[in-house]
Amino acid sequence: MIRFDILSLFPEMFVSPFDASLIKKAREKKILEINVIDIRAFAEDKHKMADDYPYGGGHGMVMKIEPVSRAIASLDPQEGDPVILLTPQGESFNHKIAVELSAYSRLILLCGHYEGVDERIREHLVTREISIGDYVLTGGEIPAMILVDSIARLVPGVLGNAGSALGDSFSEGLLEYPQYTRPAEYRGWRVPEVLLSGHHREIELWRKRESLKRTLARRPELIEAAELSDEDRKILEAIKKNDIS
């Protein structure tokens, strides 16, 4: 089981995404626990202000340290519990990080907003900063949803087939091979014969070749970082000789 505590200024954004599909089923099975905490509830002024103008002037508003600090403290984080700020300034999220985080029993996610957060939140309250890409969103709620979805599917019992996550794109550093299902032919478009052959070794080789071919064509930089076997390298050389055809 893994527990996600999500700190947000807009907790209502999480109702629908976490009440559908596999996430909903995993919550019902008690494989996942997801708690969404309203940061504004920890603001002590009568207007429940969780943001203020930045010192020194500038555009926009900045999230205040006081309500964020109280909200985190209310969760009684234990030593070793990651407290993650979702921010464009963080490290880029990827499958490797998802696997790493899926090993924890508890994750605390802080959704940034407005022009950012008081720098003291970074310095003293969070242990890690993560970005989902080089672009800016209105807040960290959607990035938090992405982290939960990506990490949750790696937790045993969330997926119906335990092997499903193992064949995903990026699980071995490469893009996934093409997938097909019934019917075997539609409008003259046929499924590759090897997949209908029942020859498991041939199917395995085809999938490996197609995975390498697709990665080389679409994300060649992944090839450099992937851990390739001798067989993989031989297949890759053959693909290159045939100009990725």
Side-chain angles (χ1 to χ4, degrees):
M1 178 178 173
I2 184 170
R3 169 178 164 179
F4 295 93
D5 290 315
I6 304 171
L7 304 171
S8 169
L9 294 174
F10 301 95
E12 63 275 12
M13 290 182 66
F14 294 93
V15 175
S16 180
F18 293 157
D19 197 29
S21 190
L22 293 175
I23 299 295
K24 178 182 180 181
K25 292 179 181 178
R27 295 178 74 187
E28 290 173 344
K29 294 177 182 176
K30 309 299 183 184
I31 300 171
L32 301 180
E33 181 181 350
I34 301 176
N35 303 305
V36 183
I37 296 91
D38 187 352
I39 296 172
R40 295 183 197 277
F42 296 89
E44 295 186 338
D45 65 288
K46 66 177 181 179
H47 299 294
K48 296 295 182 182
M49 294 290 292
D51 59 293
D52 208 339
Y53 294 102
Y55 280 126
H59 299 290
M61 307 289 277
V62 175
M63 286 178 64
K64 298 173 66 174
I65 187 171
E66 296 160 303
V68 171
S69 178
R70 295 187 192 107
I72 293 174
S74 74
L75 297 171
D76 190 25
Q78 302 300 300
E79 185 176 355
D81 288 342
V83 181
I84 300 169
L85 172 64
L86 285 312
T87 168
Q89 297 184 27
E91 60 185 310
S92 294
F93 185 63
N94 56 31
H95 182 75
K96 182 179 179 181
I97 294 175
V99 172
E100 177 187 343
L101 294 178
S102 71
Y104 288 91
S105 60
R106 184 190 194 191
L107 299 171
I108 299 172
L109 308 180
L110 171 60
C111 302
H113 240 284
Y114 306 121
E115 286 299 307
V117 302
D118 187 302
E119 188 65 19
R120 290 167 291 185
I121 293 173
R122 284 193 167 94
E123 293 175 348
H124 304 290
L125 301 180
V126 304
T127 61
R128 192 166 189 172
E129 299 179 38
I130 289 179
S131 166
I132 61 164
D134 294 334
Y135 47 88
V136 180
L137 299 173
T138 55
E141 282 74 18
I142 292 175
M145 295 174 199
I146 289 173
L147 259 69
V148 170
D149 192 279
S150 180
I151 294 166
R153 65 193 317 280
L154 299 171
V155 176
V158 171
L159 297 182
N161 183 343
S164 294
L166 298 177
D168 288 341
S169 290
F170 309 112
S171 62
E172 295 181 351
L174 303 173
L175 299 184
E176 188 180 11
Y177 49 78
Q179 297 274 23
Y180 299 87
T181 189
R182 295 178 179 81
E185 182 175 351
Y186 175 70
R187 295 173 60 182
W189 305 326
R190 288 192 54 79
V191 172
E193 290 297 330
V194 64
L195 299 179
L196 308 176
S197 68
H199 296 155
H200 299 297
R201 175 57 179 164
E202 291 301 317
I203 292 172
E204 180 185 347
L205 287 172
W206 180 88
R207 286 175 168 170
K208 185 171 293 188
R209 182 168 59 251
E210 292 300 313
S211 176
L212 287 163
K213 186 191 299 184
R214 179 165 289 187
T215 305
L216 186 62
R218 301 183 182 185
R219 295 287 304 277
E221 75 279 7
L222 295 176
I223 296 287
E224 298 299 321
E227 296 183 6
L228 302 180
S229 66
D230 291 340
E231 182 178 57
D232 293 336
R233 296 186 186 283
K234 289 179 182 178
I235 294 172
L236 186 60
E237 287 303 312
I239 292 170
K240 290 179 178 178
K241 286 180 181 179
N242 287 291
D243 196 26
I244 323 179
S245 60

